[in-house]
Amino acid sequence: MNVLLSGIVGSTAYGLAHEGSDIDRLGVFAAPTHAFHGLHRPPESHVTTVPDSTLHEAAKWCRLALGGNPTVMELVWLPEDLYEMRTAFGDELIGLRRSLLGRGRVRNAYFGYATQQFRKLQSRRSGASSPEVRGRMEKHARHLIRLLEQGQELHSTGELTIRLPDPERVRDLGAWIADRPERAEDFLSRAEHLFDQPGVLPEQPDERPAQDWLLRVRAAYYTPEPVGEAVRSA
């Protein structure tokens, strides 16, 4: 694989990691261009659990980012020290990150993912006496707060802060909400109200920079295959 950009994401990047936390890695790679010319397209993602790593093919990564996917979006907003691989194409991808943002998609993705965390909180509350379940509830609550605050930041400023300025506050909120999951409703309601107000983002992302970048990636990784025997004999 031709890895273009990769780095450490997840709890380590947020500043929420604890002893025993997994280190999550995310990256973008370019499949050889000739691989798209046959009967079967190359794999769009490579995922491993030991270590925890996800690599998305360039086109898939762009589609996910243009859709506002919060996990994918982290990769182009990481602090400098969390990048493990940066190529010229990776730097270009970081440079076009703002063009990937659209108001409706950011709202739907970040608010939608936070709402999913709320549902998970509610579904687990009957087992909250179990230390394992309690730990998961606190994790869902932390993700809910983080997603809402990151989404609101993007909506209001067009910027995304990955490393939380006050991770202890988010940990404390996670425990507080896990005690009574309905406490999250106020956070969701306030975020929904903000998302309904005018922000700095365009209504839709601009796909043109991503399209231009992807075409240049395809050109750079195109190596013509040798002509087959049947073609030569013809």
Side-chain angles (χ1 to χ4, degrees):
M1 290 185 293
N2 306 299
V3 177
L4 307 178
L5 185 67
S6 68
I8 296 173
V9 295
S11 60
T12 302
Y14 313 143
L16 292 172
H18 54 80
E19 187 176 352
S21 291
D22 295 328
I23 297 179
D24 301 310
R25 289 176 166 86
L26 179 66
V28 182
F29 73 95
T33 303
H34 71 261
F36 293 90
H37 296 169
L39 290 174
H40 305 288
R41 296 178 65 85
E44 289 197 304
S45 298
H46 293 276
V47 180
T48 62
T49 54
V50 184
D52 289 318
S53 174
T54 299
L55 293 170
H56 293 305
E57 210 284 320
K60 180 178 181 180
W61 188 93
C62 288
R63 291 195 301 269
L64 290 171
L66 287 163
N69 184 287
T71 302
V72 163
M73 195 67 73
E74 288 179 25
L75 183 62
V76 289
W77 294 90
L78 289 176
E80 294 290 325
D81 59 296
L82 292 180
Y83 285 109
E84 296 183 311
M85 169 68 77
R86 287 181 66 162
T87 65
F89 278 124
D91 285 340
E92 288 183 33
L93 194 60
I94 293 170
L96 59 83
R97 61 192 180 186
R98 290 177 183 82
S99 68
L100 303 169
L101 301 172
R103 185 172 73 86
R105 296 183 189 182
V106 165
R107 181 195 191 283
N108 291 342
Y110 282 82
F111 187 74
Y113 275 52
T115 301
Q116 289 178 17
Q117 297 299 320
F118 180 56
R119 293 196 189 103
K120 291 177 180 179
L121 265 172
Q122 291 178 308
S123 70
R124 294 185 187 278
R125 66 187 307 167
S126 61
S129 58
S130 161
E132 181 181 358
V133 174
R134 169 69 187 200
R136 291 182 181 179
M137 290 179 69
E138 291 187 13
K139 184 175 181 179
H140 293 320
R142 290 195 299 268
H143 282 316
L144 183 150
I145 294 298
R146 174 185 59 80
L147 286 162
L148 291 179
E149 293 187 350
Q150 288 180 332
Q152 290 174 91
E153 181 187 18
L154 279 171
H155 177 85
S156 300
T157 70
E159 299 289 323
L160 178 60
T161 302
I162 301 298
R163 183 172 283 148
L164 300 177
D166 189 355
E168 284 304 319
R169 180 185 68 88
V170 176
R171 288 193 187 93
D172 291 343
L173 280 174
W176 183 70
I177 291 172
D179 286 337
R180 292 176 53 190
E182 62 271 16
R183 288 170 170 166
E185 293 176 358
D186 186 46
F187 292 90
L188 289 163
S189 177
R190 283 183 290 175
E192 186 173 28
H193 176 73
L194 183 140
F195 282 129
D196 288 339
Q197 306 307 308
V200 301
L201 301 180
E203 183 58 34
Q204 298 295 333
D206 183 358
E207 295 185 355
R208 293 171 297 179
Q211 171 76 351
D212 177 68
W213 176 84
L214 185 59
L215 290 176
R216 286 185 288 107
V217 168
R218 294 289 183 248
Y221 288 98
Y222 177 63
T223 302
E225 289 291 278
V227 178
E229 289 296 330
V231 175
R232 285 203 295 269
S233 62

